[in-house]
Amino acid sequence: MMVDSLPEPKSSWKPYVIGFLIGAVILTVIPFLQRRFLKAPPPVRQLPAWSVASLGGGEVSSAALAGKVVLATIEIAPCAAPCLERHQNFGTAAHHVDDLKGAIVLVSLVGPDAQPGLADLVKGATPAWRFGAAEAPFIAELQAALDQFRGATDMEISRSHAVVLIDQDNALRGFWPDDGAGRGNSINAARLLAKHGPNP
């Protein structure tokens, strides 16, 4: 005796709709939670007006960069292969902030001894990645900020290879080590400042 096959159960569209609605709610709420819990670091020190000679890419001064977030690095010593690689890695930050239409500018401050080793990078300078002379008065201001930030005077900023973050109002916000994690964190902090302003 043959038994008729049972009809296949009808699939319901309800789980798909519920899943879609849950996903939409999560995607809507996440940016608000990020805004609440992710904040740029507070100011370390208000910098006085500063200006250094431009080596390429445009004017390098607090006046020229007013309203922009600055990520800076310093190179004083003669620049061999590790130094060149360090600056090439620093320059990749430009690709991570170009969606912000010039709101973040990279600045490499270069001493006379380092300039020959970085000559090719300087030739390729752009308004998004500028090169300036590492002049003593400005380096001294950054050193004072580093000492205040660390609560110690045992680290020379020109040898630290730190990534320096300066906000739209010329306030120094912090220092990060020149490694993958440090560069990533400095970029994230710069993006927060660029998107939400110095006083979110």
Side-chain angles (χ1 to χ4, degrees), residues 29-119:
V29 170
I30 282 177
F32 294 102
L33 292 177
Q34 286 179 328
R35 177 77 187 277
R36 179 170 181 171
F37 294 108
L38 293 178
K39 292 185 178 179
V44 174
R45 183 184 184 92
Q46 183 66 44
L47 297 173
W50 56 270
S51 178
V52 300
S54 175
L55 302 177
E59 189 178 345
V60 183
S61 67
S62 54
L65 297 169
K68 297 183 183 296
V69 178
V70 174
L71 286 171
T73 189
I74 304 166
E75 197 64 55
I76 301 292
C79 192
C83 160
L84 180 59
E85 181 180 6
R86 185 166 55 247
H87 280 271
Q88 288 169 332
N89 289 335
F90 172 72
T92 62
H95 303 301
H96 297 290
V97 300
D98 57 4
D99 60 306
L100 298 175
K101 310 299 182 189
I104 299 174
V105 175
L106 307 185
V107 172
S108 288
L109 298 167
V110 184
D113 291 341
Q115 289 179 27
L118 294 173

Side-chain angles (χ1 to χ4, degrees), residues 142-187:
L142 297 181
Q143 180 68 58
L146 178 62
D147 294 345
Q148 182 177 338
F149 179 73
R150 297 182 67 247
T153 59
D154 59 347
M155 181 179 288
E156 189 177 340
I157 191 167
S158 60
R159 298 181 187 275
S160 71
H161 308 303
V163 178
V164 183
L165 175 62
I166 301 172
D167 72 16
Q168 299 95 319
D169 294 336
N170 200 34
L172 196 146
R173 293 292 185 125
F175 302 84
W176 283 264
D178 181 54
D179 55 25
R183 287 189 300 272
N185 289 333
S186 69
I187 291 168

Side-chain angles (χ1 to χ4, degrees), residues 14-30:
K14 291 181 181 177
Y16 300 103
V17 173
I18 292 171
F20 174 79
L21 292 174
I22 291 173
V25 169
I26 290 172
L27 291 174
T28 302
V29 170
I30 282 177

